[in-house]
Amino acid sequence: MENKYETNAKVFKALSDPNRLMIVEMLQSRERCACEILEDLNISQSTLSHHMKILCDSGLVGSRRHGKWMYYSLSKEGCDEAKNLLSEITTIWHNSNERDLRHEC
Amino acid sequence: MENKYETNAKVFKALSDPNRLMIVEMLQSRERCACEILEDLNISQSTLSHHMKILCDSGLVGSRRHGKWMYYSLSKEGCDEAKNLLSEITTIWHNSNERDLRHEC
DNA sequence: ACCTCAAATCTATTTTCATCGATATGTAAT
DNA sequence: ATTACATATCGATGAAAATAGATTTGAGGT
């Protein structure tokens, strides 16, 4: 079992690699076949497959098979969830009620 | 020199660790002294210092010294930048003009 | 000046991750 | 069924990151 911090960290971990950010950028304009992504990045086929798995597992990217080819695209839902998550965790609470007491240093 | 993918990856890398997500959550309600954060996490003082450096370097967190103590808080600007960044890279372009040609598989 | 305490830095260790080559799997064409 | 090709998985390796203990730095207080 995985706690919420580990779960959330996974989404950001998916975005914390330069090659994966390049892939995400490629997917903004349209879905892409794995072989097309492979052409643009300087990595091996097995490494690309590994990155695509991480992106898909994070929910940011979806995939569909068409014959021999795998097509990848940004997932609207996954991307929205990520945005909501980031928004939630970085919102600064200006609390008027003084429940949250100061620490004794 | 660092390319944009590496630069952007750094922000998400800062958020890709469970302990750092816990710290960010603690900072939502108010600024915290390092010693207070240390009490809540199961990590050593040196490890905490390491995490705080990563969060500060990412721009998400700011710090101020008060006597012997270091106080950390969420940076409004840094957090907004992160949100804008995520929004930019996950926006799906529905392009009507057909500049972006299909790939030959 | 000396002592104390908080936090940063240094050094070493362990764990995680990116990467690749080789192999396996799945799909379609012959 | 056999072959060809795209992608996934496996196994190994090197690099990066998390972690802790020891030491150093910095900022009061006596």
Side-chain angles (χ1 to χ4, degrees):
Chain A
M1 190 50 189
E2 197 174 53
N3 68 37
K4 75 167 170 172
Y5 303 101
E6 284 164 344
T7 304
N8 293 344
K10 205 184 286 181
V11 179
F12 298 116
K13 202 163 281 180
L15 293 167
S16 69
D17 178 87
N19 282 321
R20 288 197 289 270
L21 287 183
M22 284 189 224
I23 295 167
V24 167
E25 188 177 64
M26 287 186 74
L27 298 181
Q28 286 190 285
S29 47
R30 57 174 169 79
E31 72 171 5
R32 308 260 177 179
C33 173
C35 61
E36 185 180 0
I37 302 172
L38 188 57
E39 278 178 15
D40 280 36
L41 303 193
N42 247 345
I43 56 176
S44 70
Q45 181 270 320
S46 61
T47 300
L48 175 63
S49 190
H50 171 245
H51 284 311
M52 297 319 298
K53 181 164 170 46
I54 288 170
L55 286 170
C56 288
D57 286 353
S58 76
L60 292 163
V61 168
S63 66
R64 71 180 177 92
R65 181 177 273 286
H66 181 66
K68 290 186 287 190
W69 300 278
M70 282 294 286
Y71 285 90
Y72 297 98
S73 56
L74 286 189
S75 158
K76 175 95 171 62
E77 302 73 38
C79 289
D80 285 349
E81 273 177 44
K83 279 173 256 195
N84 289 339
L85 172 60
L86 181 59
S87 194
E88 276 169 30
I89 70 175
T90 60
T91 296
I92 299 166
W93 303 111
H94 302 283
N95 49 333
S96 42
N97 64 340
E98 289 304 312
R99 288 288 211 72
D100 202 357
L101 291 110
R102 227 79 213 150
H103 182 249
E104 302 280 335
C105 285
Chain B
M1 191 50 189
E2 196 175 56
N3 70 36
K4 74 168 172 173
Y5 303 101
E6 284 165 342
T7 304
N8 293 345
K10 206 183 285 182
V11 179
F12 298 117
K13 203 165 280 180
L15 293 167
S16 70
D17 178 88
N19 282 320
R20 289 198 289 270
L21 288 183
M22 285 189 223
I23 294 168
V24 167
E25 188 177 65
M26 288 186 74
L27 298 181
Q28 286 191 286
S29 48
R30 58 175 168 77
E31 71 171 6
R32 308 262 177 178
C33 173
C35 61
E36 185 180 1
I37 302 171
L38 188 56
E39 278 178 15
D40 281 35
L41 303 194
N42 248 345
I43 56 176
S44 70
Q45 182 269 321
S46 62
T47 299
L48 174 63
S49 191
H50 171 245
H51 283 311
M52 296 320 298
K53 180 165 170 44
I54 289 169
L55 285 170
C56 289
D57 286 353
S58 76
L60 292 163
V61 168
S63 66
R64 72 181 176 91
R65 181 175 272 289
H66 180 65
K68 289 186 288 190
W69 300 277
M70 282 296 283
Y71 285 89
Y72 296 98
S73 55
L74 286 189
S75 158
K76 176 92 171 62
E77 301 73 40
C79 289
D80 284 348
E81 274 177 46
K83 277 173 258 196
N84 289 340
L85 173 61
L86 181 58
S87 194
E88 277 169 30
I89 69 175
T90 60
T91 296
I92 298 166
W93 305 111
H94 301 283
N95 50 332
S96 43
N97 64 340
E98 290 304 311
R99 289 286 212 73
D100 202 355
L101 289 111
R102 225 84 209 148
H103 181 251
E104 300 283 335
C105 285

